Amino acid sequence: MSTTAELLKGAAELFPDEVVTSAHVRHFELPAGAGRFALITLDNGFDHTKPTTFGPQSLAHLNAAIDQVEAEAANGEITGVGLTGKPFIFAVGADLKGVELLRKHDEALAIGKGGHDVFKRLSGLAVPTFAYYNGAAMGGGVEVGLHCTYRTVSKALPAFSLPEVFLGLVPGWGGCALLPNLIGPEKAVSVIIENSLNQNRQLKGAQVFELGIADALFEGADFLERSLVWTAGVLNGSVTVERPEIDRGEAWDQAVAKGRALADSKVHGAAPAAYRALDIIGDAKDGDLQKGFDAEDRALADLIMGGELRSGIYAFNLVQKRAKRPAGAPDRSLARPVTKVGVVGAGLMASQLALLFLRRLEVPVVLTDIDQERVDKGVGYVHGEIEKLLGKGRINQDKANRLKGLVSGVLDKAEGFADADFIIEAVFEEMGVKQKVFAEVEAVAPAHAILATNTSSLSVSEMASQLKHPERVVGFHFFNPVAILPLLEIVRGERTDEASLATAFGVAKKLRKTAVLTKDAPAFVVNRILTRFMGEIQNVIDEGTPVATTEKAVEPLGLPMSPLVLLELVGPAIGLHVSETLNRAFPDRFTVSPNLKAVVEAGKRGFYVYKPENGFKPELDPEVAALLVQGDSVLTEEQVRARVLDAVAQEIGLMLEEGVVAEAQDIDLCLITGAGWPFHLGGITPYLDREGVSERANGRRFLPQGVASVPA
């Protein structure tokens, strides 16, 4: 049987580039006669921009620190042990770079067992242990604290979570076994399953305390000092910590069943992590922690060697790293300053854009439209949203007044745009309208101003073709809702120059958007892929497969919503318009569905109706069913899925050949941040590779073996 030290030494050899976290031990006398105390501080030697993580060498450092305090406790030299982090960071869990390198099941098992063996020593010391969550705590950072006897949390703590299920793992260093036994199964399912599956929702310090994860909550300014005074109270008996009795009866089973229903609604059985976590939570009902830890080890190893986690880490790296260094972006020194923004249009999309520019850039923003009523409505929308932010306490009265003072609306473009540096249009999606708008804007805008278009599918080059200076036109395609979806497709027209492009990327960064550079190709990235995907779904329905079968066929992908619910969200008329645009560009692959056309002409908002007596579940609208004209070719779910995925794989292959984006990674980044495509798929290309679809459709994988998959 390998010792913990041997396990960690073997793991460290696999991961030579680990950023090592030290565990410093210092001693001092607690107030109120509570005795000599040992405090362990986790610190990787970098500032808060490089959070503290646990790789094998880091675990070995913590293990050595525990060796020291264990001996001191046994000898009666200390009355307690505390654990805290460097400024702003407690610890953010396992170092995922090391996980990516693992090739064998027993290597993965060693990582789980090594973490457990170190962490559980904290609960086995001869004196009480205290975790002081002073800053960001995630994954293993949360779990190391759960092994302590008591916990305090800072009110200033910005992010606390067990995000493993989001990435395709389970909380594997005690989270699944310890948390339900501390706060009850219902709250534990909320933290481990629900928050993870809701785009990795984070908890704040006060919520951590309210859930009962922490025993005390203190202000951030003097958090550690207050925690140590509280600790002294616990040790000398003047502070009593009370925790509620855990219901280990039917309520436990109901909480787990509720978690399964939630997982089904989010991933439809397509991603194993949530279900493995729920199995362990279910078994934790009897309070046998070691049995739970062993189950966590097995689940961790199985999932590390599966495609879902590798795809999850790949997706995480895309969003955290690639998104910050967009492929093909020009030198940022070429970017020009933006001190005033113009928005052509004052409808809902234009108003959302105005609000975003206003909040992030805090420069004057001016809207124009064809009549005063529309202009007033657009400015009114922005003012209303600022009032909402004020009401929620997100901004103070001074800032609200300042922001309101920065937004205005005029009818005369010459008056509004004469000194604007960046002008974006968000008018009707028709080439002639947009060309006319740009001609009017060019006539009055300064020579250096960027002219941006929020078009979702039209050619940026054609839009700029009649201008004197087409080099300053750039595509700037946002996704709806603008405030929520991070993606911004930046489209380089045939004559767009480097300075204009650099300025666009500079603005995108200030807007806190994930910018991806795309070629000026029909519908760019997300809409082209989704339209091919939706088009094939529509073709299958038109040819005769029932709507329910077609929708169910793609459930195993675990998408955030079904294709026809997505169509409802986008709007059937917009879906039809984009399919017509792509049909003109690629008539051999993109069809225009006569049934979709009929639905749009009938003024229907979608294919479904939602009735309270059916729990508001989508039901095929009888009026839509009456409109459908179908053939007699009925496919099985498996046949539908294969056909749809083959079409998507073919389209992505063609897009990469055309150079629409630099690499397959950019396709995935776009789908994750612009269409809510699941992390556990890694976007789309890892899934297509894993399922063999890429080779079937294109004769080759999109990504090399070892990228979003287990190394060969």
Side-chain angles (χ1 to χ4, degrees), residues 41 96 195 258 294 318 349 362 419 428 524 559 583-584 676:
T41 303
L96 294 177
N195 287 357
K258 187 178 168 188
D294 292 342
L318 289 181
M349 189 67 177
E362 294 192 24
D419 55 349
F428 186 65
F524 318 125
L559 298 176
N583 172 254
R584 287 193 293 274

Side-chain angles (χ1 to χ4, degrees), residues 450-486:
I450 305 300
L451 307 185
T453 170
N454 185 45
T455 183
S456 59
S457 60
L458 301 176
S459 167
V460 173
S461 303
E462 188 182 343
M463 216 175 287
S465 62
Q466 297 172 14
L467 299 179
K468 293 190 185 87
H469 294 286
E471 69 277 1
R472 57 176 171 160
V473 176
V474 64
F476 216 61
H477 179 219
F478 290 88
F479 288 78
N480 212 356
V482 169
I484 294 170
L485 290 174

Side-chain angles (χ1 to χ4, degrees), residues 134-171:
N134 64 300
M138 297 173 202
V142 168
E143 290 171 296
V144 70
L146 294 177
H147 284 270
C148 294
T149 324
Y150 304 99
R151 285 154 296 281
T152 66
V153 66
S154 167
K155 272 187 186 174
L157 181 145
F160 182 103
S161 65
L162 289 169
E164 288 84 353
V165 166
F166 177 66
L167 292 170
L169 275 177
V170 298

Side-chain angles (χ1 to χ4, degrees), residues 552-684:
K552 207 163 186 311
V554 292
E555 275 188 3
L557 274 74
L559 298 176
M561 62 189 76
S562 77
L564 293 183
V565 172
L566 174 64
L567 180 68
E568 200 169 289
L569 185 72
V570 171
I574 292 171
L576 178 65
H577 174 74
V578 177
S579 71
E580 287 170 341
T581 301
L582 282 159
N583 172 254
R584 287 193 293 274
F586 309 115
D588 56 324
R589 301 193 310 280
F590 288 85
T591 54
V592 178
S593 163
N595 281 321
L596 178 58
K597 214 168 188 173
V599 167
V600 172
E601 285 169 359
K604 304 300 292 184
R605 294 180 58 188
F607 277 61
Y608 293 129
V609 287
Y610 302 85
K611 298 176 184 169
E613 61 267 27
N614 192 29
F616 295 100
K617 288 179 183 167
E619 279 180 56
L620 187 61
D621 184 340
E623 292 178 19
V624 170
L627 292 171
L628 296 181
V629 177
Q630 292 180 279
D632 54 9
S633 173
V634 179
L635 303 182
T636 64
E637 286 175 27
E638 291 74 19
Q639 288 170 323
V640 172
R641 187 160 58 250
R643 187 164 148 187
V644 170
L645 292 176
D646 283 358
V648 169
Q650 182 200 30
E651 201 59 40
I652 292 171
L654 291 166
M655 289 167 71
L656 292 171
E657 281 175 23
E658 291 169 27
V660 174
V661 288
E663 293 182 290
Q665 283 89 333
D666 294 310
I667 298 273
D668 294 319
L669 182 57
C670 284
L671 285 176
I672 292 164
T673 57
W677 220 264
F679 255 58
H680 69 260
L681 294 185
I684 182 64

